[in-house]
Amino acid sequence: MTPNADDAAAPDAGEDRALNPRRAAILEAVVTEYIDTAEPVGSSHVANAPGIQVSSATVRSEMVALEREGYLTQPHTSAGRIPTDKGYRFFVDHLASPGVLGPGQRRRVTQFFDQVHGEMETVLERATGLLSELTSYASVVVGPSHESSTIRSVQLVGLSSAHALLVVVLSDGAVEKRTIELVEGTDEDTLARAGAFIGTQLVGRTLSEPWSVPPSGSPAIDALVRSAGAAFDDLEGAMDADKVFVGGPARLAESFDAVETVRSVLAILEQQLVVVTLLRDVLDRGLSVAIGMEHGYEPLSSCAVVVAPVSIDGQDLGAVGLLGPTRMDYPHAMAAAHVVGERLGQRIVGGHDGGH
Amino acid sequence: MTPNADDAAAPDAGEDRALNPRRAAILEAVVTEYIDTAEPVGSSHVANAPGIQVSSATVRSEMVALEREGYLTQPHTSAGRIPTDKGYRFFVDHLASPGVLGPGQRRRVTQFFDQVHGEMETVLERATGLLSELTSYASVVVGPSHESSTIRSVQLVGLSSAHALLVVVLSDGAVEKRTIELVEGTDEDTLARAGAFIGTQLVGRTLSEPWSVPPSGSPAIDALVRSAGAAFDDLEGAMDADKVFVGGPARLAESFDAVETVRSVLAILEQQLVVVTLLRDVLDRGLSVAIGMEHGYEPLSSCAVVVAPVSIDGQDLGAVGLLGPTRMDYPHAMAAAHVVGERLGQRIVGGHDGGH
DNA sequence: ATCTGGCACTCGGTAGACTTGAGTGCCAGG
DNA sequence: CCTGGCACTCAAGTCTACCGAGTGCCAGAT
């Protein structure tokens, strides 16, 4: 083994250095081919690929180097190579051409946003459908958090003689409610006044701001305020857990053929909190893709996650994500996530209900 | 073949007639064994089963008859028998012992209902988790419809200069909202008055009741009433689509090992409307189990659905369902669905928020 | 100093032959 | 009418041979 200029002396030294252009080309050929066929790709395939002008023997020796450096791996001797996570990573970072949606898909997106109407939640929910349809991967959408929204209205509505509903409206259009129990014989009027009274104290504040309501002078109202306060705390806790929408879980079963993989990935998707954390983590690290074990979730080790922020000039409004096999079509998935994220952002600030 | 008393002369005549007790016992043995092992069961297994006092040869000839009558089938010659849908059906209707939850599971249910709190939606959602945990099948819960609930409060809340939120509270504690657009310069006070005015007209009615709001005298308010009216219609449409909660989809991947089956069943579960219709259909036919193709959904042909109403003295409050392979543990699943359905019913009418 | 064609070698996958064993259908005798 | 016995069937497992895609290495060409 004559060590030469661009061979990393130790397997894990010189990590991020750009690959020798030929090797890069070979890596690219392997990745694209493998994404396409899901079969290990051999040296002769690569040698025939456009842009490779060397013989298969040369390709082979370069592949040995790429394998030594951790970009490729062999499922077994005498099989072709498949990319490692690191190989995909290099591909995504340095090789993949930006990727655009086809005209049909572009139209589909436009049509979707022209036609969809209704509340934010509905739009987000439907957006997961759109993303899955565009990419045929499972998708995830996280809505904007309520932390900077202010309380717009607080109301107490009687439901029965023993129950009332605390209804809180935020400036972003979110509505939350909690049932509270009443002491026997609370009349409608007292309720309304207690609601109004709480309102005067809370309207204009954010959910997280500490608050207290002074005594009102009426013991009946004060009692109501106390139970409403407890309900309010509960509600406040529930609202800063961002709501997650999952779309196209059935697509997972298309992406993987090991039923066990499907099971464990579905199990992850059931845990909303994990999903949000995952997406946020990836975004916070400034990435748009997490491949294999790059996020820390073992059951997702055979998955890649493509993430795009939903934001408008820096303001964080949520995130969209796509979940597929590591051999997913990154350029396309990234383009889809990006476009949908962007349009969602516009929609959210643009108008609560554009058309209709 | 000497036709004797209990042989049906033609394969599909004499359908529902009770099976000869020995055949019933054999069928039962086959079904329970197959549910347990998922392997075709042979005559000698059956002959050794408790309650069967005849030789394997006799069992064999009875099995031939059972096969002829459509209760059993052979995957191939020289394999054991497995039950057909009809076989499962007979088992469920005439053979299965009622089925009870184990003490641990019973405790789990009690604990769940003691501890769960919060709004109906939350309870229903969590209940799917409980059901999946109890049975390790995917579960479905459909909440009560709002059709007989009356409107308890209508409110218009300003969100921005151009948008307001119509918030409607029903007597069952449900809250729905729609964004409406405002003409420039609508002030807070006009909004509140328009809301109150709509309220005076709608409070006390059901959602489906036709309604109209007379002119108020103020053109500004009338304009608001018109846009709120449109929003209200939209909301009304959305609310009589019952909300469905799906739990433990990951369990599906445990129940089936053909990934294609998993995919198509997941795809069905994504269509909420289909799920509701399916459950309602089954309940309406007075059944608690639908096996294989008994419901009309081709992709679910390898599934069985166990359904239990959520009701209290005849009042329909929804339904719970379990979705598993046809070789599911019917007695256990039925017991679980029944218990959870019952407790949910009590919870719904009993108190909106029991403990906490 | 590199690339290339050639060559021996590896090894997964497939196909065929054979064996095993569970299970059946049928029948003659109790 | 039941039973034990027997011949038969067929899926699944094992073994072997073989093919072919693919590799690593090397000697010679550029």
Side-chain angles (χ1 to χ4, degrees):
Chain A
M1 244 167 277
T2 45
N4 62 23
D6 37 44
D7 269 27
D12 40 9
E15 269 308 339
D16 209 303
R17 198 181 248 95
L19 238 34
N20 159 344
R22 192 169 69 188
R23 284 189 194 163
I26 290 174
L27 177 56
E28 177 174 7
V30 173
V31 173
T32 49
E33 178 78 6
Y34 185 69
I35 284 176
D36 206 46
T37 64
E39 309 244 299
V41 0
S43 55
S44 52
H45 271 288
V46 174
N48 293 333
I52 308 282
Q53 304 297 350
V54 295
S55 77
S56 66
T58 309
V59 171
R60 277 203 289 282
S61 69
E62 294 291 48
M63 279 171 135
V64 172
L66 283 167
E67 183 164 3
R68 186 167 7 100
E69 291 168 29
Y71 295 99
L72 295 178
T73 186
Q74 265 182 307
H76 53 85
T77 344
S78 90
R81 305 303 208 285
I82 65 179
T84 60
D85 291 352
K86 183 177 174 188
Y88 286 121
R89 165 56 59 196
F90 191 89
F91 175 79
V92 169
D93 287 346
H94 302 100
L95 301 174
S97 42
V100 283
L101 297 183
Q105 299 209 317
R106 226 179 172 86
R107 212 175 318 123
R108 182 74 190 83
V109 174
T110 315
Q111 180 205 338
F112 174 87
F113 282 99
D114 282 351
Q115 159 230 296
V116 74
H117 68 281
E119 297 305 301
M120 259 279 296
E121 292 86 335
T122 319
V123 175
L124 296 178
E125 161 95 59
R126 300 253 174 95
T128 65
L130 174 67
L131 273 168
S132 291
E133 186 190 321
L134 289 175
T135 61
S136 66
Y137 299 123
S139 65
V140 164
V141 172
V142 182
S145 88
H146 302 295
E147 67 187 358
S148 63
S149 299
T150 56
I151 295 167
R152 214 59 195 222
S153 149
V154 176
Q155 197 192 1
L156 278 174
V157 179
L159 294 179
S160 68
S161 59
H163 295 284
L165 204 65
L166 170 74
V167 180
V168 176
V169 179
L170 299 192
S171 57
D172 62 5
V175 176
E176 238 346 294
K177 56 170 171 137
R178 280 295 177 278
T179 310
I180 62 178
E181 307 209 29
L182 300 179
V183 295
E184 202 55 44
T186 311
D187 65 5
E188 196 67 38
D189 183 57
T190 315
L191 265 180
R193 277 196 299 170
F197 182 64
I198 300 173
T200 58
Q201 303 299 317
L202 296 188
V203 166
R205 312 195 169 210
T206 66
L207 273 178
S208 49
E209 241 170 291
W211 56 275
S212 68
V213 176
S216 64
S218 148
I221 290 187
D222 285 346
L224 272 174
V225 168
R226 261 192 308 283
S227 30
F232 188 83
D233 288 339
D234 188 49
L235 172 161
E236 175 189 321
M239 287 197 86
D240 58 36
D242 304 310
K243 187 105 184 72
V244 184
F245 301 89
V246 174
R251 307 302 181 124
L252 282 177
E254 284 165 15
S255 305
F256 303 97
D257 34 38
V259 72
E260 180 47 36
T261 312
V262 176
R263 203 202 59 72
S264 60
V265 178
L266 280 175
I268 290 273
L269 283 184
E270 281 182 58
Q271 299 165 271
Q272 308 216 335
L273 185 58
V274 174
V275 175
V276 187
T277 317
L278 171 57
L279 293 204
R280 289 246 169 278
D281 271 10
V282 176
L283 279 180
D284 288 351
R285 282 194 281 161
L287 298 176
S288 57
V289 179
I291 298 162
M293 283 301 294
E294 287 179 1
H295 48 68
Y297 298 93
E298 229 285 322
L300 298 183
S301 56
S302 50
C303 298
V305 185
V306 167
V307 193
V310 177
S311 73
I312 235 170
D313 39 63
Q315 194 188 351
D316 176 24
L317 300 174
V320 308
L322 287 164
L323 191 61
T326 45
R327 53 166 282 273
M328 78 194 288
D329 183 345
Y330 293 99
H332 181 234
M334 290 165 79
H338 184 76
V339 167
V340 173
E342 195 163 54
R343 305 277 318 238
L344 268 181
Q346 293 163 3
R347 177 51 161 273
I348 291 173
V349 303
H352 294 270
D353 186 327
H356 194 53
Chain B
M1 243 162 277
T2 45
N4 62 23
D6 37 45
D7 269 28
D12 40 10
E15 272 307 340
D16 209 303
R17 197 181 250 98
L19 239 32
N20 160 343
R22 192 169 68 189
R23 284 190 194 162
I26 291 174
L27 177 56
E28 177 174 7
V30 172
V31 173
T32 49
E33 178 79 5
Y34 185 69
I35 284 176
D36 205 47
T37 65
E39 308 243 301
V41 1
S43 54
S44 51
H45 271 287
V46 174
N48 294 333
I52 308 280
Q53 304 298 349
V54 294
S55 77
S56 67
T58 309
V59 172
R60 277 202 288 283
S61 68
E62 294 291 47
M63 279 172 137
V64 172
L66 284 166
E67 182 164 7
R68 185 165 11 97
E69 291 169 30
Y71 294 98
L72 296 178
T73 186
Q74 264 181 309
H76 54 84
T77 343
S78 91
R81 305 300 209 286
I82 64 180
T84 60
D85 292 352
K86 184 177 172 186
Y88 287 120
R89 164 56 59 196
F90 191 88
F91 175 79
V92 170
D93 287 346
H94 302 102
L95 302 175
S97 42
V100 283
L101 298 183
Q105 299 210 316
R106 217 166 187 93
R107 212 175 318 123
R108 183 72 189 82
V109 173
T110 315
Q111 181 204 339
F112 174 87
F113 281 98
D114 282 350
Q115 159 229 296
V116 75
H117 67 280
E119 296 305 302
M120 259 277 297
E121 292 86 337
T122 319
V123 175
L124 295 178
E125 162 95 58
R126 299 254 173 93
T128 64
L130 174 68
L131 273 168
S132 291
E133 185 192 322
L134 289 175
T135 61
S136 66
Y137 300 123
S139 66
V140 165
V141 172
V142 182
S145 88
H146 302 295
E147 66 187 358
S148 63
S149 299
T150 56
I151 296 167
R152 213 63 195 215
S153 148
V154 176
Q155 198 192 3
L156 277 174
V157 180
L159 295 179
S160 68
S161 59
H163 296 282
L165 204 65
L166 171 74
V167 179
V168 176
V169 179
L170 298 192
S171 57
D172 60 5
V175 175
E176 222 14 272
K177 58 173 169 133
R178 280 296 177 277
T179 310
I180 63 178
E181 307 209 30
L182 299 178
V183 295
E184 202 54 46
T186 311
D187 65 4
E188 197 66 40
D189 184 55
T190 315
L191 265 180
R193 278 195 299 167
F197 182 63
I198 300 174
T200 59
Q201 303 300 316
L202 297 187
V203 165
R205 313 196 167 209
T206 67
L207 273 178
S208 49
E209 240 169 294
W211 55 277
S212 68
V213 177
S216 64
S218 149
I221 289 185
D222 286 349
L224 272 174
V225 168
R226 261 192 307 282
S227 28
F232 187 83
D233 288 339
D234 188 48
L235 171 162
E236 176 189 321
M239 287 198 85
D240 56 37
D242 305 312
K243 186 107 186 73
V244 184
F245 302 88
V246 174
R251 306 301 181 124
L252 282 176
E254 284 165 14
S255 305
F256 302 97
D257 35 37
V259 72
E260 179 48 34
T261 311
V262 176
R263 203 201 59 72
S264 61
V265 178
L266 280 175
I268 290 274
L269 283 184
E270 281 182 57
Q271 299 166 269
Q272 309 215 334
L273 185 57
V274 174
V275 175
V276 186
T277 316
L278 170 57
L279 293 204
R280 289 247 168 276
D281 270 12
V282 176
L283 279 179
D284 288 351
R285 281 194 281 162
L287 298 177
S288 58
V289 179
I291 298 161
M293 282 302 294
E294 287 179 2
H295 47 68
Y297 298 94
E298 229 285 322
L300 299 184
S301 55
S302 49
C303 298
V305 185
V306 166
V307 192
V310 177
S311 72
I312 237 172
D313 39 63
Q315 195 188 351
D316 175 26
L317 299 174
V320 310
L322 287 164
L323 191 60
T326 44
R327 53 166 281 272
M328 77 195 286
D329 183 344
Y330 292 98
H332 181 234
M334 289 166 78
H338 183 76
V339 168
V340 174
E342 195 163 53
R343 307 277 316 236
L344 268 181
Q346 292 162 4
R347 179 51 162 272
I348 292 173
V349 303
H352 294 270
D353 187 325
H356 191 56

